[in-house]
Amino acid sequence: MSSYLKELEKYRDIDEDEILKTLSPEELEQLDCELQEMDPENLLLPAGLRQRDQTKKSPTGPLDRDALLQYLEQQALEVKERDDLVPFTGEKKGKPYIQPKREIPAQEQITLEPELEEALANATDAEMCDIAAILGMYTLMSNKQYYDAICSGEICNTEGISSVVQPDKYKPVPDEPPNPTNIEEILKSVRSNDKDLEEVNLNNIKDIPIPMLTELCEAMKTNTHIRSFSLVATRSGDPIANAVADMLRENRSLQSLNIESNFISSTGLMAVLKAVRENATLTELRVDNQRQWPGDAVEMEMATVLEQCPSIVRFGYHFTQQGPRARAAQAMTRNNELRRQQKKR
């Protein structure tokens, strides 16, 4: 290390200005090129800044793309084509392959009765297709042709063995008709505690005002005849979930509640689950397919509610965690067994 420092000592007192004065213009230009900071691997820089300018020609003007393409095409046309090492004459060499005919040995030849020979000779493609299916030669036809021939007692493969498989024609399924329920009349019947109204089905009604749904839940607190309440795909959110939770705390006749396919968050589902604990008449609860996943805490709460509420025998939700799913399955099995024993008594 000391020898290296001694080697540097002789360059300490060098006068750089005197050295630069003695250099020629060509040497100064070369020194300037060497001192330029270039980064050839930086793809974010233009090509002109990634390498040194080594051209001596003056620029000819701005880039003309059309002229450049025309020049390249002209250059390509003027280049002489390379001669083939072996010129092509079109002469065919060799002999075409002819598959030899295989003679069937005498022991493998099958002789049919004259009636069968005549029947097979005059059989149509459709009849041959059905015969092949009956004999189990499924490799000669499509799956649809094979199963149609096996399952049907008549000739149905009219196209033949070598036909192109056609897709099945399915009947168009019409859309479900809109829900004809009149919400205002339902609200009046619920408020009047109509004994003929046992089911409230508001499924797939998208434009129900939130105040009207809240009033409906408020009216169901004192109703004693409604057994089923369904709000599937009504775009209900947490305000409706809180109203349903308040209704469950006071209603003592409702047996089925379905609030699937809505916009209820984990907070709204938690409020409904806490209210279910205070309700002893509810036997069916469905809360699946909400806009967002409720989370692990809500799934654990669902399993706890099913364990603490033996009256619930049907629960609609697809668990994503193994722990709550196993607990819920065990609780549902126990609840249904308790219900079966109560019916026997």
Side-chain angles (χ1 to χ4, degrees):
M1 189 65 182
S2 59
S3 60
Y4 175 72
L5 294 177
K6 291 180 180 179
E7 185 70 19
L8 293 178
E9 285 295 333
K10 62 181 181 179
Y11 300 107
R12 184 183 299 277
D13 299 332
I14 292 178
D15 191 357
E16 292 86 355
D17 295 335
E18 291 294 333
I19 296 176
L20 292 175
K21 290 179 180 179
T22 57
L23 295 178
S24 62
E26 292 78 8
E27 293 174 341
L28 288 175
E29 184 178 357
Q30 183 179 1
L31 179 62
D32 187 25
C33 292
E34 294 294 336
L35 294 178
Q36 288 182 5
E37 295 182 1
M38 293 293 173
D39 188 3
E41 297 181 358
N42 189 356
L43 299 180
L44 299 178
L45 292 177
L49 299 180
R50 279 184 277 160
Q51 57 186 0
R52 296 184 180 89
D53 186 9
Q54 302 176 5
T55 59
K56 304 299 181 181
K57 295 172 58 177
S58 58
T60 57
L63 173 64
D64 188 352
R65 184 175 181 275
D66 296 336
L68 179 60
L69 292 177
Q70 185 178 1
Y71 173 76
L72 294 176
E73 292 177 359
Q74 186 66 26
Q75 287 290 108
L77 293 174
E78 292 177 357
V79 174
K80 185 180 179 181
E81 295 184 359
R82 186 180 60 182
D83 296 335
D84 296 334
L85 297 178
V86 179
F88 177 73
T89 60
E91 179 184 0
K92 293 183 179 180
K93 297 183 179 181
K95 297 180 180 180
Y97 174 75
I98 300 177
Q99 187 175 2
K101 294 183 179 180
R102 177 177 175 270
E103 296 182 359
I104 302 176
Q107 60 272 15
E108 295 184 7
Q109 293 182 0
I110 300 174
T111 304
L112 300 177
E113 296 180 0
E115 294 81 2
L116 293 178
E117 289 281 359
E118 184 179 359
L120 292 177
N122 299 328
T124 62
D125 289 344
E127 293 171 344
M128 293 294 294
C129 185
D130 277 17
I131 293 174
I134 294 172
L135 296 178
M137 301 177 182
Y138 54 86
T139 57
L140 300 179
M141 63 198 72
S142 65
N143 289 338
K144 183 178 183 304
Q145 291 176 330
Y146 177 72
Y147 287 110
D148 286 348
I150 292 297
C151 301
S152 176
E154 300 178 355
I155 296 177
C156 53
N157 297 317
T158 58
E159 296 87 358
I161 295 178
S162 61
S163 62
V164 178
V165 180
Q166 299 293 333
D168 294 334
K169 295 182 180 180
Y170 295 99
K171 295 181 179 180
V173 179
D175 296 335
E176 294 184 1
N179 195 334
T181 304
N182 191 330
I183 305 175
E184 296 180 356
E185 294 182 359
I186 291 293
L187 181 57
K188 292 179 181 179
S189 301
V190 173
R191 286 175 176 174
S192 62
N193 199 9
D194 188 0
K195 63 180 181 180
D196 296 331
L197 182 62
E198 295 185 355
E199 180 182 0
V200 176
N201 186 349
L202 304 179
N203 295 346
N204 301 317
I205 302 179
K206 310 294 184 182
D207 54 352
I208 305 178
I210 294 179
M212 184 171 292
L213 283 177
T214 306
E215 293 177 7
L216 182 61
C217 295
E218 187 70 23
M220 288 188 60
K221 290 181 180 180
T222 57
N223 191 285
T224 58
H225 296 95
I226 295 179
R227 299 291 182 264
S228 176
F229 185 40
S230 183
L231 291 174
V232 178
T234 56
R235 298 182 181 178
S236 301
D238 288 345
I240 306 302
N242 294 328
V244 170
D246 296 338
M247 179 267 296
L248 289 175
R249 292 188 179 93
E250 300 185 20
N251 186 282
R252 293 297 176 265
S253 64
L254 189 66
Q255 298 179 0
S256 175
L257 175 64
N258 191 344
I259 54 175
E260 292 180 340
S261 303
N262 284 302
F263 299 159
I264 302 175
S265 66
S266 58
T267 305
L269 287 179
M270 192 69 75
V272 173
L273 294 173
K274 291 180 179 179
V276 170
R277 294 183 178 181
E278 305 177 19
N279 189 298
T281 61
L282 194 67
T283 60
E284 180 181 2
L285 176 63
R286 299 186 180 277
V287 296
D288 199 11
N289 194 28
Q290 301 300 325
R291 188 174 189 178
Q292 58 184 1
W293 178 57
D296 296 338
V298 177
E299 291 192 356
M300 295 295 292
E301 182 69 17
M302 290 178 183
T304 304
V305 168
L306 294 178
E307 292 172 348
Q308 298 179 358
C309 298
S311 62
I312 299 180
V313 294
R314 289 187 295 273
F315 184 71
Y317 180 78
H318 180 73
F319 288 91
T320 59
Q321 302 298 326
Q322 180 63 27
R325 184 190 301 116
R327 289 176 54 192
Q330 185 177 2
M332 293 300 297
T333 304
R334 184 203 61 186
N335 295 349
N336 282 274
E337 181 64 22
L338 291 175
R339 176 61 61 90
R340 186 184 64 83
Q341 293 177 2
Q342 291 175 1
K343 288 183 178 180
K344 280 187 176 183
R345 296 172 187 173

